[in-house]
């Protein structure tokens, strides 16, 4: 396994290698990571496509927010270079369930912009936009020949990975 850590630019690039020591190196890099600031997923995917020379299995775990059409094009670029791609489209459980009932202030964790919203009045529009967003990422990913899994933070990542690995085994 290898690792690419990015925000607006690639911050860490560890090429794939084998061995227990390498795995511990990757885990040590992951441990202190915290989501903050703005990201440029499409740029990180394009830069990764240029850096990885051998055909590889690439696993993307992301909310896929950003310039969605460019994100899909970047996934297609990776697939065109022969990589096997799996996209775990990850959103917060509250983004999916939208459990809010009272006037609520929402803050974007990347831009820090705050918006006051009446969730009961906005629910239908929110659901339509979320469905369109998920559909765009899913359809674009699948059209690239990549695998797509939608998950939320209420699902333990190990359960999502296990389910996917069982699916891959059945496909082999």
């Amino acid at each position: 396994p290898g690792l690419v850590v990015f925000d607006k630019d690639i911050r860490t690039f560890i090429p794939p290698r084998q061995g227990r020591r390498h795995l511990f190196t990757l885990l040590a890099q992951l441990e202190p990571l915290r989501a903050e600031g703005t990201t440029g997923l499409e740029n990180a995917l394009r830069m990764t496509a240029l850096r990885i020379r051998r055909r590889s299995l690439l696993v993307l775990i992301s909310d896929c927010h950003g310039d969605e059409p460019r994100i899909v094009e970047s996934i297609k670029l990776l697939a065109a270079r022969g990589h096997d791609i799996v996209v775990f489209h990850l959103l917060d459980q509250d983004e999916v369930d939208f459990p809010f009932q009272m006037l609520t202030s929402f803050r974007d964790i990347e831009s820090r912009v705050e918006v006051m919203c009446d969730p009961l009045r906005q629910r239908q529009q929110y659901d339509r936009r979320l469905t369109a967003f998920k559909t765009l990422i899913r359809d674009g990913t699948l059209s690239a020949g990549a695998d797509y899994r939608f998950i939320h933070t209420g699902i333990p990542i190990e359960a999502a990975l296990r389910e996917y690995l069982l699916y891959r085994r059945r496909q082999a």
Side-chain angles (χ1 to χ4, degrees):
L3 177 68
V4 178
V5 176
F6 63 92
D7 46 32
K8 287 183 275 187
D9 298 303
I10 291 179
R11 298 295 174 202
T12 303
F13 181 85
I14 302 173
R17 288 194 182 91
Q18 294 181 352
R20 177 171 270 178
R21 184 177 181 158
H22 181 65
L23 178 60
F24 288 135
T25 299
L26 297 178
L27 293 174
Q29 290 289 319
L30 288 171
E31 180 66 31
L33 293 179
R34 299 290 174 258
E36 60 186 22
T38 59
T39 59
L41 177 57
E42 59 277 4
N43 183 54
L45 292 174
R46 288 181 184 281
M47 296 304 295
T48 300
L50 296 174
R51 285 186 168 188
I52 298 178
R53 307 234 185 268
R54 290 189 342 219
R55 185 179 184 279
S56 300
L57 169 64
L58 303 176
V59 179
L60 173 65
I61 302 172
S62 173
D63 62 11
C64 297
H65 286 297
D67 185 338
E68 290 87 8
R70 286 188 62 212
I71 290 169
V72 167
E73 288 305 313
S74 298
I75 291 169
K76 289 179 179 180
L77 172 65
L78 286 162
R81 290 177 166 251
H83 299 295
D84 191 3
I85 304 164
V86 183
V87 174
F88 284 95
H89 189 182
L90 173 67
L91 295 180
D92 187 87
Q93 186 169 4
D94 284 349
E95 288 179 280
V96 176
D97 296 340
F98 204 70
F100 311 100
Q101 299 292 318
M102 300 186 306
L103 193 62
T104 306
S105 178
F106 295 95
R107 182 172 46 91
D108 183 309
I109 64 169
E110 291 186 8
S111 68
R112 304 280 188 226
V113 171
E114 288 194 39
V115 176
M116 187 65 70
C117 170
D118 179 352
L120 297 177
R121 290 184 61 206
Q122 298 295 320
R123 174 73 190 223
Q124 287 183 332
Q125 182 179 10
Y126 179 85
D127 286 343
R128 280 193 305 273
R129 286 182 170 181
L130 179 63
T131 298
F133 167 63
K134 288 169 41 181
T135 300
L136 175 71
I137 299 298
R138 183 198 67 219
D139 290 354
T141 298
L142 295 174
S143 74
D147 284 339
Y148 174 88
R149 290 291 184 274
F150 179 79
I151 58 175
H152 59 74
T153 56
I155 300 169
I157 191 69
E158 57 274 8
L161 291 171
R162 181 179 185 280
E163 183 274 326
Y164 177 73
L165 291 173
L166 290 171
Y167 162 80
R168 287 283 289 224
R169 184 187 308 167
R170 288 189 305 269
Q171 299 304 307

